[in-house]
């Protein structure tokens, strides 16, 4: 028995010794802000299931980007919420050089070249059926035709100046196919953030409201391409394949319910490993905070610190700007 020679509480007694033994420190540079992009001018549309989050037109995005730069947030992840008229069976608007994402990317890069931009690559905002890919007559998402579409979408974004293309669709082989197309087109610096372990999670509900795909998706689900929530060995296989195909960084998504997966991925590969605190996680925290049931600032910073402890190099979160402000005040 080591007690009392070993007293774990001794190092916890004072602020200075707690600081010295702290293993992980959350910084604004760990955070990636997430934004929903809409057409128009001077438009801000609240997302009802995500209080505090608004869909923004280009002018609002420029303000948001300026705030990221001022706060030391290195990157902004963009998700389009196109008008219903831009949706089709073949999602062709996704690779229109004058399309929403491409225009926004050029505008943001012109004003804030130092802010990293991460473009979502998946077809769901652009399809009339709300699936991430192209479907056959039975509604099954077809792998290779979808990959061909994702290549066009990635090239259009890279051409507009996107720093990272981020395929979030979970088709097989798309990382290698996109990498090859980018290289052949001379976009050798365009990075790929692979949503490698993306789960078929019910925590994406508010996001689907935000990008306007939930009504289109209806009773559909994404179980034929996103991962079964019960698996984690499979996540390692997915990540291994994406690394072999040329991913520059890999992602685990959602976040808090998948910290075990995050830790396994980081330990197994030592890759730049990102995690996504998704819309449902935001909604839970926000709802409890609005009811006065949880201290918002304390619990949000706790969740973000937990991601770092579990091995994340960067965290996509709707709370990035709030968290960076709180960290600066602290
Ligand atoms: N590709 C993005 C999603 O599927 C959902 C993100 C979220 O729920 O925040
Ligand atoms: Mg895969």
């Amino acid at each position: 028995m080591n007690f009392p020679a070993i007293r774990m509480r001794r190092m916890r007694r004072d602020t200075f010794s707690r600081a010295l033994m702290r293993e992980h420190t959350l910084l604004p540079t760990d955070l990636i802000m997430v934004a929903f992009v809409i057409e128009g001018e001077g438009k801000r549309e609240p997302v009802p299931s995500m209080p505090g989050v608004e869909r923004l037109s280009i002018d609002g995005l420029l303000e948001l980007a300026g705030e990221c730069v001022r706060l030391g947030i290195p990157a902004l992840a963009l998700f389009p919420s196109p008008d219903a008229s831009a949706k089709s069976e073949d999602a062709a608007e996704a690779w229109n050089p004058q399309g929403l994402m491409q225009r926004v990317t050029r505008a943001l890069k012109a004003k804030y070249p130092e802010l990293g931009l991460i473009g979502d690559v998946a077809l769901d905002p652009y399809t009339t059926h709300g699936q991430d890919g192209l479907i056959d007559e039975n509604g099954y998402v077809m792998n290779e035709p979808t990959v061909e579409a994702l290549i066009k979408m990635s090239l259009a974004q890279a051409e507009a100046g996107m720093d990272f293309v981020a395929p979030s669709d979970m088709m097989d082989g798309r990382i290698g196919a996109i990498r090859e197309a980018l290289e052949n087109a001379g976009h050798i610096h365009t990075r790929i953030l692979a949503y490698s372990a993306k789960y078929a999670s019910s925590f994406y509900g508010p996001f689907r409201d935000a990008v306007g795909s939930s009504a289109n998706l209806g009773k559909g689900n994404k179980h034929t391409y996103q991962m079964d929530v019960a698996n984690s060995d499979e996540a390692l296989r997915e990540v291994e394949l994406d690394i072999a195909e040329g991913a520059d960084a890999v992602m685990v998504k959602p976040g808090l319910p998948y910290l075990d997966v995050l830790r396994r991925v980081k330990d197994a590969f030592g890759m730049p490993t990102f995690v996504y605190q998704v819309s449902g996680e935001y909604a839970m925290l926000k709802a409890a905070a609005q009811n006065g049931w949880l201290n918002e600032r304390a619990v949000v910073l706790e969740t973000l610190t937990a991601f770092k402890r579990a091995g994340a190099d960067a965290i996509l979160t709707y709370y990035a700007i709030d968290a960076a402000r709180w960290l600066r005040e602290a």
Side-chain angles (χ1 to χ4, degrees):
M1 174 85 166
N2 293 319
F3 180 84
I6 294 176
R7 289 179 184 266
M8 293 302 285
R9 293 182 56 195
R10 217 178 269 131
M11 284 293 282
R12 291 181 206 137
R13 179 168 180 271
D14 296 299
T15 306
F16 82 86
S17 50
R18 285 195 297 272
L20 291 174
M21 72 182 283
R22 185 159 299 129
E23 297 174 37
H24 300 282
T25 306
L26 181 69
L27 299 168
T29 47
D30 297 319
L31 305 175
I32 295 169
M33 183 60 186
V34 183
F36 297 116
V37 178
I38 52 173
E39 289 285 2
E41 189 54 43
K43 282 211 179 147
R44 291 181 171 268
E45 300 176 354
V47 180
S49 47
M50 302 178 74
V53 173
E54 294 174 314
R55 294 180 285 207
L56 301 169
S57 53
I58 291 189
D59 46 299
L61 289 165
L62 285 166
E63 276 174 43
L64 187 77
E67 198 55 17
C68 289
V69 170
R70 275 186 290 284
L71 289 166
I73 294 169
L76 180 62
L78 301 170
F79 291 88
S81 179
D83 292 342
S85 61
K87 296 177 194 265
S88 61
E89 276 292 298
D90 66 358
E93 181 62 16
W95 51 91
N96 174 356
Q98 300 309 323
L100 180 59
M101 283 286 268
Q102 281 66 254
R103 275 180 282 124
V104 163
T105 301
R106 286 192 291 266
L108 289 170
K109 273 284 143 190
K111 183 134 189 225
Y112 298 107
E114 71 275 45
L115 181 67
L117 293 184
I118 302 174
D120 187 56
V121 174
L123 303 185
D124 50 325
Y126 295 100
T127 53
T128 39
H129 44 70
Q131 292 290 356
D132 292 14
L134 305 174
I135 57 174
D136 67 13
E137 61 281 6
N138 302 313
Y140 183 75
V141 174
M142 300 180 289
N143 199 86
E144 278 81 337
T146 298
V147 171
E148 288 306 313
L150 298 173
I151 289 172
K152 289 187 262 184
M153 190 174 183
S154 300
L155 288 171
Q157 291 187 9
E159 195 60 45
M162 197 70 82
D163 296 296
F164 261 108
V165 291
S168 65
D169 56 287
M170 290 297 278
M171 296 303 110
D172 288 320
R174 90 283 203 216
I175 299 301
I178 290 170
R179 185 70 267 161
E180 188 184 351
L182 289 171
E183 295 295 315
N184 290 340
H187 297 299
I188 61 168
H189 303 301
T190 308
R191 302 155 187 86
I192 300 180
L193 166 59
Y195 284 69
S196 303
K198 180 173 181 177
Y199 285 85
S201 170
S202 296
F203 283 97
Y204 307 147
F207 175 95
R208 290 178 192 163
D209 296 336
V211 300
S213 67
S214 44
N216 303 57
L217 189 61
K219 289 197 194 321
N221 64 57
K222 303 189 176 183
H223 293 165
T224 70
Y225 46 102
Q226 297 178 350
M227 278 185 54
D228 186 331
V229 302
N231 298 349
S232 76
D233 289 343
E234 186 188 2
L236 297 190
R237 293 186 64 205
E238 284 282 7
V239 170
E240 186 173 24
L241 287 166
D242 285 354
I243 294 169
E245 289 176 32
D248 297 288
V250 297
M251 178 107 85
V252 174
K253 177 183 177 180
L256 217 50
Y258 297 86
L259 290 183
D260 58 324
V261 179
L262 179 58
R263 169 47 66 194
R264 287 191 72 185
V265 166
K266 187 63 184 176
D267 284 349
F269 304 106
M271 277 289 284
T273 305
F274 295 7
V275 67
Y276 196 145
Q277 182 173 51
V278 302
S279 58
E281 299 177 68
Y282 175 90
M284 287 197 300
L285 292 165
K286 184 60 87 174
Q290 287 189 331
N291 276 294
W293 296 337
L294 288 173
N295 174 335
E296 185 173 31
R297 174 186 163 136
V299 291
V300 169
L301 294 178
E302 183 174 331
T303 61
L304 301 177
T305 303
F307 292 131
K308 288 212 70 181
R309 193 193 63 234
D313 296 294
I315 305 156
L316 284 88
T317 173
Y318 303 92
Y319 272 117
I321 287 192
D322 290 329
R325 286 200 188 114
W326 292 328
L327 291 171
R328 279 171 183 253
E329 288 160 13

